[in-house]
Amino acid sequence: LVVDIRAVDEGEAGVTVEAERIAHRFGVGLEWIAADPRTRGLPVGGLADSMCASGLLLACAHHRSELSAAACIGGNPHLAGDALESVAAPILLVVGENDLDSLSAARTAQRNLGVSELAVINDTRSVVDEPEAFFAAAYRIRDWFVDHLATEAH
């Protein structure tokens, strides 16, 4: 199940407001999943890139028992601030080796997360814009979810 939480025509409302808006939308999606008898009780993973990364981490903090694992590609995950300490789900942070801002942001976030891993994709800046990097990240994220969601399902 894929839920797109970004509206096409949204303007920039500021980083904090945007993160809260994204977190709220993740929460609405989680409530829908929990309410549907076909999906209730299944392990749920969250994936976000760019600006949505901090929103996903806020959602992880607010919905501790509903998200089983999450992965963030680039972005500014550290902007979830103090909420990072409340995240219970294991978190994978994926960044390009040459994206120094995102690498620094991910390391800052990781210091405040419980179970987390930093996956650095070599020889790339933008994981989502460079095809080889994108596929390397996709395989790493797939493995992360297989490892963390499969164990949750048993």
Side-chain angles (χ1 to χ4, degrees):
L1 172 65
V2 176
V3 179
D4 188 352
I5 57 172
R6 295 287 304 235
V8 175
D9 61 347
E10 283 182 328
E12 293 300 317
V15 174
T16 304
V17 172
E18 184 70 9
E20 288 293 339
R21 184 181 305 147
I22 297 302
H24 173 74
R25 290 180 185 164
F26 269 113
V28 169
L30 291 169
E31 290 169 7
W32 180 82
I33 290 168
D36 190 311
R38 296 168 295 176
T39 54
R40 185 181 308 125
L42 293 176
V44 177
L47 172 64
D49 72 334
S50 190
M51 281 300 303
C52 293
S54 56
L56 172 58
L57 292 172
L58 285 173
C60 287
H62 299 321
H63 301 272
R64 292 173 49 95
S65 64
E66 298 166 49
L67 273 159
S68 303
C72 298
I73 304 170
N76 292 298
H78 68 294
L79 294 177
D82 293 338
L84 292 172
E85 295 175 6
S86 298
V87 172
I91 305 295
L92 176 65
L93 302 166
V94 182
V95 296
E97 176 183 42
N98 299 328
D99 185 351
L100 301 181
D101 291 337
S102 290
L103 190 55
S104 175
R107 287 185 174 135
T108 298
Q110 192 177 27
R111 285 193 289 272
N112 295 306
L113 288 166
V115 177
S116 66
E117 185 175 314
L118 177 61
V120 179
I121 307 300
N122 294 331
D123 300 321
T124 192
R125 176 167 170 69
S126 175
V127 173
V128 295
D129 292 332
E130 299 174 27
E132 288 182 22
F134 180 79
F135 287 114
Y139 287 124
R140 181 64 194 94
I141 292 165
R142 177 207 59 197
D143 293 345
W144 177 261
F145 283 127
V146 166
D147 291 346
H148 291 87
L149 297 181
T151 56
E152 184 78 18
H154 293 119

